[in-house]
Amino acid sequence: TEIEKPERKVDDEAAKKYKDEGNKLYQASEFQEAINNYTNGLEICSLDSEIHKQLLGNRAACYLSLDEREKALQDCDAAIKIDPKYTKVLLRRSTIHEDLGHLPEALADAQKVLEYDPSSKPAMATVAKLGPIVREQQEKQKAEMMGKLKDIGNTLLGKFGLSTENFKMVQDPQTGSYNISFQK
């Protein structure tokens, strides 16, 4: 036999009241009580609605204030899934990613904010700060990978009396692809 799930009661007006009360509690730095209000609102609001994304975004701010970054990240992800252009929460998620050391993700979120709101000063500051760091990390990773590939190549080519030094790689500046030529 199939178990019936109870019908989910939807009351967006009551959810909005929970949000408003949660906002007051947040302003008073009563973050756990605000979380409880936002959670109550989430239990009764229309799914994938404006109020739903706002409740998630506000609860994420509370979790962030309580240093519960993983929970904050989950709520940000859920809110952004509802509205990918929710710049306030994209910026919040960028901050969380940066705090967690996920710099490429933090940079990507800040860049998305600038796509939707080119005048966002916090996003500009994050891109200016993280852009060079992420590029440097990517270059370092690329150099490490190339070193490992050369080691593998030398191991294989050594059996034929060759090495990777016999091959010259030149990057095409227009396409970014590499041309490889053999030289003795």
Side-chain angles (χ1 to χ4, degrees), residues 131-181:
I133 296 169
V134 169
R135 276 191 295 282
E136 184 180 319
Q137 286 178 343
Q138 289 169 337
E139 287 300 318
K140 188 176 176 184
Q141 288 173 338
K142 189 166 88 173
E144 285 175 20
M145 187 177 309
M146 291 302 279
K148 289 177 184 176
L149 285 172
K150 274 187 172 184
D151 290 345
I152 292 169
N154 284 333
T155 301
L156 295 172
L157 291 170
K159 295 176 182 176
F160 301 102
L162 298 170
S163 79
T164 55
E165 299 302 318
N166 295 111
F167 297 89
K168 184 176 181 181
M169 285 185 23
V170 178
Q171 187 175 17
D172 183 335
Q174 292 173 335
T175 65
S177 63
Y178 286 89
N179 292 320
I180 301 173
S181 60

Side-chain angles (χ1 to χ4, degrees), residues 22-39:
N23 291 349
K24 289 176 190 169
L25 292 163
Y26 179 84
Q27 291 298 320
S29 298
E30 295 180 36
F31 303 119
Q32 191 55 58
E33 285 303 312
I35 287 170
N36 295 342
N37 273 274
Y38 296 140
T39 301

Side-chain angles (χ1 to χ4, degrees), residues 7-59:
E7 188 72 22
R8 186 175 184 275
K9 294 244 185 208
V10 174
D11 185 348
D12 285 344
E13 280 305 310
K16 186 176 179 336
K17 288 178 184 169
Y18 277 121
K19 184 188 104 165
D20 293 342
E21 183 60 28
N23 291 349
K24 289 176 190 169
L25 292 163
Y26 179 84
Q27 291 298 320
S29 298
E30 295 180 36
F31 303 119
Q32 191 55 58
E33 285 303 312
I35 287 170
N36 295 342
N37 273 274
Y38 296 140
T39 301
N40 289 337
L42 285 165
E43 290 171 358
I44 59 171
C45 72
S46 301
L47 298 176
D48 299 335
S49 64
E50 185 74 15
I51 188 77
H52 189 197
K53 79 170 188 182
Q54 291 171 349
L55 287 162
L56 287 165
N58 292 359
R59 190 170 71 174

Side-chain angles (χ1 to χ4, degrees), residues 62-81:
C62 291
Y63 283 135
L64 190 55
S65 296
L66 294 172
D67 286 329
E68 294 185 46
R69 282 167 173 55
E70 292 298 333
K71 288 181 179 179
L73 189 58
Q74 288 174 354
D75 278 356
C76 287
D77 288 344
I80 292 166
K81 192 173 182 182

Side-chain angles (χ1 to χ4, degrees), residues 113-136:
V113 169
L114 289 177
E115 281 178 34
Y116 307 129
D117 178 9
S119 65
S120 171
K121 289 190 183 349
M124 284 185 224
T126 299
V127 169
K129 178 173 74 172
L130 295 183
I133 296 169
V134 169
R135 276 191 295 282
E136 184 180 319

